[in-house]
Amino acid sequence: MKRSMLALTATAGMLLAGASPVPRPPPPIYCPVVMYQDYYFALSYYVVPALSPDCPPGGVGRLRKSSTLNQKAQGAHYQPIRPQSGAWTVTVFGDDVPRSERFTNVFSTWEWQYVEADGKHWHTADVR
């Protein structure tokens, strides 16, 4: 009995020692996002975000809407950004930008920004 338990314990130990760790998924590939004006309504236009045509397969876009009136760079104590935390995701299959946020006024008080390939720096999205 003791011998079989010892053999079982040794076998289990060898299996655990030889087990390879679970591989981590590769980091996401961030791509530029292009905003297409779909239609106008009063003093605003409706945009549809899409990944840049040169985005590799599996790439994603991170998108946010940032105020151009109140910016920290100009000494303001806050800069309104939507969503307030994180960003919306854009893929080749669609996006999760709420319908109400897609309206952008023609006075350019808001700008669309996408995250750079490093995942840290934001750039103004091209609106076509």
Side-chain angles (χ1 to χ4, degrees):
M1 176 83 170
K2 287 183 182 180
R3 190 172 288 189
S4 63
M5 286 298 285
L6 185 58
L8 182 63
T9 304
T11 306
M14 286 189 294
L15 288 174
L16 288 175
S20 61
V22 177
R24 294 185 180 191
I29 300 169
Y30 293 112
C31 297
V33 178
V34 179
M35 308 302 290
Y36 293 97
Q37 296 179 14
D38 192 24
Y39 62 87
Y40 283 84
F41 180 75
L43 296 175
S44 61
Y45 56 90
Y46 186 84
V47 294
V48 177
L51 291 176
S52 175
D54 59 347
C55 182
V60 297
R62 300 289 288 157
L63 186 65
R64 73 180 185 182
K65 200 173 178 183
S66 178
S67 170
T68 59
L69 294 178
N70 303 315
Q71 294 184 340
K72 289 182 181 179
Q74 296 174 354
H77 63 284
Y78 73 100
Q79 177 180 9
I81 295 173
R82 294 182 185 153
Q84 290 183 352
S85 64
W88 295 301
T89 304
V90 181
T91 67
V92 294
F93 303 109
D95 59 76
D96 60 355
V97 180
R99 181 174 169 77
S100 61
E101 292 294 341
R102 293 174 185 260
F103 287 97
T104 308
N105 64 36
V106 295
F107 302 113
S108 300
T109 57
W110 290 93
E111 74 177 0
W112 291 95
Q113 298 175 339
Y114 66 90
V115 75
E116 192 176 86
D118 65 2
K120 297 177 184 175
H121 297 94
W122 293 91
H123 293 282
T124 303
D126 186 20
V127 180
R128 299 178 184 177

